[in-house]
Amino acid sequence: MRFMLLLKYDENAQKDTPPDPAMFEEMGRFNTAMVDAGVLLAGEGLAPSAQGAAVTFDGEEPTVSDGPFTEAKELVGGFWILKVDSLEEALSWAKRAPFRGGERLEVRRVTEAEDFEGLAPQEVLDAEEELRARQAQQHGS
């Protein structure tokens, strides 16, 4: 199973406080432990919302709003995708993250095509499987 850990935090509360240099070392150890255990598929931090935009779908035409997203209490600041056997294992890794300042990790299972069997038409599921195979071939996975 794949799980996504979503780092959420209050960007406004942390914008005036640069990260402690020790945090980079702790994060490096955390990421290394997941790589060494063979569970980390991907993980990245995200730039501040001031450097982003949001696309809202409410009507016929999407609306684009430039960041920062000051109205949001919590923003996604980074993510990890893990391949583990259970939610419990994903939670075990999440609890080891080196955060201490009110950050929040949301742990969510990544859906698989099998989750939609009987709901989506089979030709859509087959097309999705083919698309994933092409993607894996393009990226050497």
Side-chain angles (χ1 to χ4, degrees):
M1 285 184 259
R2 292 178 300 156
F3 285 86
M4 178 175 264
L5 310 182
L6 294 161
L7 169 61
K8 293 189 171 187
Y9 71 107
D10 183 338
E11 187 176 73
N12 291 322
Q14 294 187 358
K15 72 178 178 184
D16 295 328
T17 308
D20 181 347
M23 172 58 86
F24 293 102
E25 294 172 7
E26 288 182 60
M27 189 60 66
R29 287 192 294 274
F30 177 61
N31 290 336
T32 298
M34 290 190 290
V35 168
D36 290 347
V39 302
L40 184 64
L41 297 177
E44 301 293 340
L46 300 177
S49 68
Q51 297 174 24
V55 180
T56 303
F57 299 89
D58 188 16
E60 289 189 29
E61 290 295 319
T63 304
V64 176
S65 304
D66 293 333
F69 311 133
T70 55
E71 70 282 354
K73 174 75 174 133
E74 285 186 329
L75 292 171
V76 176
F79 70 91
W80 295 264
I81 298 179
L82 309 182
K83 184 173 176 81
V84 294
D85 293 328
S86 65
L87 173 60
E88 292 73 22
E89 187 178 355
L91 289 169
S92 174
W93 282 105
K95 289 191 247 180
R96 294 174 59 182
F99 299 117
R100 312 280 183 279
E103 301 87 353
R104 180 173 171 247
L105 281 180
E106 188 174 309
V107 180
R108 309 259 310 266
R109 188 173 65 82
V110 176
T111 58
E112 306 289 346
E114 303 84 56
D115 294 319
F116 300 103
E117 287 179 4
L119 298 173
Q122 189 59 47
E123 58 270 15
V124 171
L125 297 175
D126 293 344
E128 177 67 21
E129 185 176 331
E130 182 182 326
L131 189 62
R132 288 183 185 266
R134 285 180 42 208
Q135 180 187 23
Q137 185 178 22
Q138 286 176 345
H139 297 283
S141 310

